[in-house]
């Protein structure tokens, strides 16, 4: 091939099928311009709420992205970019309130959160006075949640085993239906149910009553999560065990449960985190106590959600500070539970390899 032909090929474009495209930094530039325009519109219109500014910026971002992408890349690529933009806007709409909530809780909760606050009860400290702590509330929450877990976890796991391994016919369908119904039952209904039993037997408020209501709320979550984990166990494992002559109950105990134990444990931990912040049943059944009560089976007891409600309802500045500090403690507790659940799930996840 001659030198002139090689030069002509070298000058030819690498690809004629690829159309024009926006640079990678274009979404950031459009977002910055949208924020600037939204601020200008907000100031001109006299809008004081930063939320309104953010919504205007999101709307401008979506419109500008579509118009610019359609003029440069075509309508088809513009639709793809507008879908991606909707995802990002929805993500920010969900994250911003969460970050704001955490920031406000931390900024206001650290005022009185210290070792003294965590190791002392309210005792004789009035709600309008500074001082006091949440030790009695921490003890009450830990005991009530632990008792609820001891009740709900075994029942939920056994129910899920029945539905997956043995459940057939009308009884299984009825159990599934009632589990679905219980999943959406408001917490106040569970509290009223236990309260009715207490009134029938003429019982005074005590911590274990709150545990019973929390167990009712926890049970359907454990059933659903355990059921899904058991369904993920391959049937080949069950069939191989049964083909060796192993009884079904032993197959479940030695093969099915160990295979899904990571997911089951994660579901239980997340259900614990779900009931830890419940206030309504505790308010009805536990009644609250300013002093330390280590016996959940006798006398009124305190819990963190109820403590937060009572302190905020007191209406004094020291009580507000204690409420925010207790809220920060409760958020930290739930966060630790979620991290533990993730750690257990990763630890017990099936090992993959070549």
């Amino acid at each position: 091939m001659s030198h002139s032909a090689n030069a002509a090929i070298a000058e030819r474009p690498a690809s004629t099928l690829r159309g024009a495209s926006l640079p990678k930094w274009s979404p950031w530039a459009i977002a910055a311009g949208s924020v600037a325009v939204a601020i200008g519109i907000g100031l001109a219109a006299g809008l004081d709420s930063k939320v309104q500014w953010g919504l205007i910026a999101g709307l401008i971002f979506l419109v500008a992205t579509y118009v610019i992408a359609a003029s440069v890349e075509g309508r088809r690529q513009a639709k793809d970019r507008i879908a991606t933009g909707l995802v990002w806007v929805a993500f920010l709409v969900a994250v911003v309130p969460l970050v704001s909530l955490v920031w406000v809780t931390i900024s206001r909760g650290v005022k009185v959160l210290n070792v003294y606050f965590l190791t002392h009860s309210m005792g004789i400290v009035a709600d309008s006075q500074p001082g006091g702590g949440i030790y009695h509330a921490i003890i009450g929450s830990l005991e009530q949640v632990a008792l609820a877990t001891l009740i709900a976890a075994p029942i939920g796991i056994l129910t899920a085993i029945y539905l997956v391994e043995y459940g057939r016919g009308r009884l299984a369908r009825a159990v599934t239906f009632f589990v679905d119904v219980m999943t959406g039952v408001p917490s106040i209904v569970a509290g009223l149910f236990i309260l009715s039993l207490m009134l029938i037997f003429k019982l005074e408020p005590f911590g274990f009553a709150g545990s019973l209501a929390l167990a009712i709320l926890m049970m359907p979550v454990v059933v659903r999560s355990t059921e899904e984990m058991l369904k993920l166990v391959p049937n080949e494992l069950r069939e191989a065990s049964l083909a060796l002559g192993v009884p079904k109950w032993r197959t479940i105990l030695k093969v099915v449960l160990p295979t899904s134990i990571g997911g089951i444990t994660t579901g239980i931990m997340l259900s614990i985190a779900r009931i830890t912040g419940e206030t309504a049943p505790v308010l009805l059944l536990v009644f609250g106590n300013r002093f330390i009560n280590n016996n959940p089976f006798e006398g009124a007891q305190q819990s963190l959600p109820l403590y937060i409600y009572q302190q905020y309802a007191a209406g004094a500045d020291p009580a507000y500070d204690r409420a925010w500090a207790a809220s920060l403690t409760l958020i930290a507790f739930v966060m630790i539970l979620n991290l533990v659940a993730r750690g257990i799930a990763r630890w017990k996840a099936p090992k993959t390899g070549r």
Side-chain angles (χ1 to χ4, degrees):
M1 187 177 294
S2 65
H3 178 73
S4 59
N6 290 332
I9 293 175
E11 294 177 357
R12 187 176 300 171
S15 175
T16 58
L17 296 178
R18 185 175 180 180
S21 62
L22 294 172
K24 294 182 179 180
W25 50 263
S26 60
W28 299 100
I30 296 174
S34 301
V35 171
V37 174
I39 293 175
I41 293 175
L43 293 175
L47 301 177
D48 297 329
S49 175
K50 302 301 187 295
V51 176
Q52 294 175 326
W53 294 12
L55 294 177
I56 294 174
L59 182 61
I60 294 174
F61 172 76
L62 294 176
V63 174
T65 298
Y66 181 80
V67 172
I68 295 174
S71 61
V72 176
E73 300 176 333
R75 296 181 61 183
R76 182 174 182 179
Q77 188 66 22
K79 293 179 180 178
D80 178 74
R81 287 187 177 274
I82 202 71
T84 305
L86 282 172
V87 171
W88 278 104
V89 171
F91 169 75
L92 291 176
V93 169
V95 168
V96 168
L98 177 61
V99 174
S100 176
L101 172 65
V102 174
W103 171 253
V104 171
T105 305
I106 293 175
S107 61
R108 302 192 64 173
V110 295
K111 292 181 179 180
V112 297
L113 185 60
N114 50 39
V115 177
Y116 179 88
F117 183 74
L118 296 174
T119 56
H120 287 75
S121 66
M122 287 300 295
I124 60 174
V125 178
D127 292 334
S128 58
Q129 297 176 342
I134 58 172
Y135 180 74
H136 59 310
I138 294 176
I139 293 297
S141 287
L142 291 177
E143 291 181 350
Q144 293 160 28
V145 171
L147 290 172
T149 304
L150 290 177
I151 297 171
I155 296 176
I157 293 174
L158 292 175
T159 302
I161 291 174
Y162 166 76
L163 292 176
V164 175
E165 304 293 339
Y166 297 98
R168 300 292 184 273
R170 294 182 179 179
L171 180 59
R173 289 194 296 269
V175 172
T176 302
F177 172 76
F178 283 111
V179 168
D180 293 336
V181 171
M182 289 178 63
T183 304
V185 169
S187 59
I188 190 68
V189 176
L192 288 173
F193 172 70
I194 302 299
L195 180 61
S196 64
L197 297 178
M198 292 174 60
L199 294 176
I200 292 174
F201 295 101
K202 299 180 180 180
L203 299 175
E204 296 294 330
F206 62 112
F208 184 65
S211 299
L212 293 175
L214 295 178
I216 294 175
L217 299 173
M218 183 179 177
M219 241 180 283
V221 181
V222 176
V223 172
R224 272 285 161 259
S225 60
T226 304
E227 187 178 1
E228 294 302 321
M229 291 301 104
L230 294 178
K231 288 180 180 178
L232 293 177
V233 178
N235 284 328
E236 289 78 5
L237 295 178
R238 298 181 177 89
E239 293 170 356
S241 178
L242 295 174
L244 295 175
V246 179
K248 188 170 186 177
W249 68 269
R250 194 169 182 84
T251 299
I252 296 172
L253 188 63
K254 295 294 185 179
V255 177
V256 177
L257 287 179
T259 305
S260 57
I261 189 63
I264 294 174
T265 306
T266 303
I268 294 175
M269 298 295 289
L270 294 178
S271 64
I272 293 173
R274 180 248 187 275
I275 66 171
T276 301
E278 290 293 342
T279 308
V282 179
L283 178 63
L284 290 175
L285 306 171
V286 179
F287 212 65
N289 192 341
R290 303 180 68 87
F291 297 91
I292 300 173
N293 180 11
N294 293 322
N295 186 2
F297 299 99
E298 183 179 358
Q301 203 175 32
Q302 190 61 275
S303 71
L304 276 174
L306 182 56
Y307 177 90
I308 296 169
Y309 168 77
Q310 292 175 341
Q311 290 298 309
Y312 201 83
D317 289 338
Y320 287 151
D321 293 337
R322 287 190 293 264
W324 283 108
S327 301
L328 181 57
T329 305
L330 186 60
I331 290 176
F333 180 67
V334 174
M335 186 180 298
I336 291 172
L337 285 178
N338 281 274
L339 292 176
V340 170
R342 289 178 177 271
I344 293 175
R346 179 169 297 187
W347 175 42
K348 291 294 185 179
K351 300 298 185 294
T352 57
R354 296 181 179 179

